[in-house]
Amino acid sequence: MSSQYRQFLKILEKWPLDKNKQGRDIAEHLRSLLPILQQPDRSTTAEQMEHINKQNDALNRLSKNIYFSTYKREHHSTATGLSANQCSQVLSSEFLQYLKEQKD
């Protein structure tokens, strides 16, 4: 098992699936990349491996909230004035489906 694959699995453990965003969740997309890392073929170049390592490092920084911890926020609202929880509710699949039904 490659070191990139093991590192990716550790990242996925920190990134849970969001049931409210089925089909639009980044964790869901990341899990779809597992087969690529699980069985790299012999034609994988050093350049591609370097790209995978950079992606793993970036995902690891995001999953650990390094930038959130480094750059403290003064305000905890968004540009819309909604809280993070309210934004999550507005972006849920159920709410988007409700809006679509109201439009039709």
Side-chain angles (χ1 to χ4, degrees):
M1 188 182 311
S2 72
S3 62
Q4 290 86 3
Y5 181 73
R6 283 191 299 265
Q7 184 181 10
F8 195 71
L9 287 178
K10 287 180 184 179
I11 292 169
L12 288 180
E13 288 174 1
K14 299 174 193 172
W15 219 306
L17 287 171
D18 187 348
K19 302 293 182 192
N20 293 325
K21 296 181 182 174
Q22 292 177 338
R24 302 176 298 116
D25 187 22
I26 190 167
E28 192 175 315
H29 171 71
L30 292 175
R31 282 165 175 73
S32 73
L33 299 176
L34 269 176
I36 297 168
L37 287 173
Q38 195 171 15
Q39 298 175 349
D41 59 14
R42 299 188 191 284
S43 65
T44 305
T45 65
E47 184 178 303
Q48 290 170 325
M49 294 306 287
E50 182 179 337
H51 179 70
I52 290 170
N53 287 334
K54 285 181 181 180
Q55 284 184 327
N56 277 346
D57 291 341
L59 289 169
N60 196 28
R61 287 190 302 272
L62 284 173
S63 69
K64 289 182 178 181
N65 280 333
I66 288 177
Y67 299 109
F68 182 77
S69 303
T70 304
Y71 304 103
K72 297 292 181 186
R73 294 170 42 181
E74 293 180 25
H75 307 287
H76 293 286
S77 63
T78 63
T80 62
L82 300 174
S83 68
N85 189 27
Q86 290 169 325
C87 286
S88 180
Q89 290 174 354
V90 169
L91 293 173
S92 71
S93 295
E94 292 85 19
F95 187 75
L96 293 176
Q97 181 65 31
Y98 171 76
L99 287 178
K100 185 178 178 182
E101 290 171 0
Q102 293 299 317
K103 187 177 178 182
D104 293 339

